[in-house]
Amino acid sequence: MTPPEMLAVLGAGLGAGILTSTVGVASLLSFPVLLAVGLPPVVANTSNTVGLVPAGVSGTFGYREELREHPRITVTVVVTCALGAIGGAGLLLALPPSVFEAVVPWLILFTCLLVGVQPRIARWLRSRGGEDVGPRTRMGPVTTFFALLTGVYGGYFGAGSGVMMVAVLGLGLDIDLRVVNALKTLAIFAGNVVAGLIFVVVADLDWRAIALLASGSLVGGYVGARVGRRLPPTLFRVLVVIAGVVAAVLLLR
């Protein structure tokens, strides 16, 4: 890796860290850069997962106040995404890289649609439940199941998993969007940690790329959290939809 390539990977780590804590499409920035500097696809994918773990550390720290507001949900998100990531990491190591190429872009586009119309769906669900139904501040079985599936996807590839988690939590819970953003960042972190531990043991990794990504993403994750917690809900939702559509279009190319 030449010095300019090393600088590019470092910068990709910084940008990916910011995206981890804001709109949740970090891998769409860092993964192509790793491919561009010559890493094979599977090595780039596994190295990317490990290298972005520090973004989750600093991003989660930046959102620590939001995560304290709903400790039960926080624990559930960690457990479901960690368990899901185990299955996703196994799929990555066992299946050809092209298995999900056809479906992933459309899945991301569908979740973008859900994020965009989430306020209307939430109001409809509340009206169906009756006026006496209080706000949903616990993850029900359906929300937990889809959070688990998002964890599986995050462990397998991860591009757009943050968008998916925003859709799942936004539809399944009646909590502030800034808290949803914090939980999304925690979910990405939990999935990356578990999948990363598996990859360290059984996968081929490029440790130079990991070190550069980690250095940049550690700073970027905290910066992104400071930005993300100040985003107005409508602007955040718009940015998530835009980021998800861009991710889907890039994957369709």
Side-chain angles (χ1 to χ4, degrees):
M1 201 181 297
T2 65
E5 289 174 339
M6 294 173 65
L7 186 60
V9 175
L10 180 65
L14 176 64
I18 294 173
L19 292 175
T20 295
S21 300
T22 50
V23 294
V25 290
S27 294
L28 267 298
L29 172 62
S30 53
F31 180 68
V33 172
L34 294 182
L35 292 178
V37 300
L39 272 65
V42 174
V43 175
N45 198 354
T46 54
S47 300
N48 182 67
T49 297
V50 177
L52 293 185
V53 168
V57 174
S58 57
T60 299
F61 178 77
Y63 282 122
R64 60 194 181 279
E65 294 181 9
E66 284 78 6
L67 294 174
R68 292 193 189 108
E69 293 185 22
H70 298 281
R72 185 185 296 271
I73 299 174
T74 298
V75 172
T76 305
V77 166
V78 170
V79 172
T80 54
C81 289
L83 291 175
I86 295 174
L91 289 175
L92 176 64
L93 298 174
L95 298 177
S98 60
V99 169
F100 288 155
E101 284 182 0
V103 67
V104 164
W106 302 106
L107 180 61
I108 294 175
L109 286 174
F110 177 67
T111 54
C112 286
L113 174 64
L114 292 180
V115 171
V117 301
Q118 181 266 326
R120 293 185 179 182
I121 295 177
R123 286 195 295 269
W124 180 78
L125 291 174
R126 290 292 301 276
S127 66
R128 295 277 293 182
E131 295 183 357
D132 295 332
V133 177
R136 298 167 298 164
T137 57
R138 293 188 180 184
M139 291 176 64
V142 175
T143 304
T144 302
F145 173 73
F146 281 103
L148 179 66
L149 289 184
T150 304
V152 172
Y153 174 72
Y156 179 83
F157 182 54
S161 63
V163 177
M164 297 178 188
M165 186 56 71
V166 170
V168 169
L169 297 178
L171 289 172
L173 297 168
D174 297 319
I175 57 179
D176 290 344
L177 204 54
R178 61 182 175 80
V179 180
V180 169
N181 197 7
L183 291 167
K184 174 266 299 173
T185 302
L186 178 64
I188 295 173
F189 172 49
N192 282 348
V193 167
V194 173
L197 288 174
I198 295 173
F199 295 154
V200 166
V201 176
V202 301
D204 291 329
L205 299 169
D206 187 309
W207 286 103
R208 178 180 296 181
I210 289 172
L212 292 168
L213 278 180
S215 300
S217 70
L218 181 65
V219 177
Y222 185 76
V223 172
R226 306 306 295 177
V227 173
R229 69 192 312 185
R230 290 173 170 79
L231 286 175
T234 301
L235 177 59
F236 171 67
R237 188 174 286 109
V238 169
L239 291 175
V240 168
V241 171
I242 292 174
V245 170
V246 171
V249 170
L250 291 174
L251 289 171
L252 282 169
R253 294 177 60 182

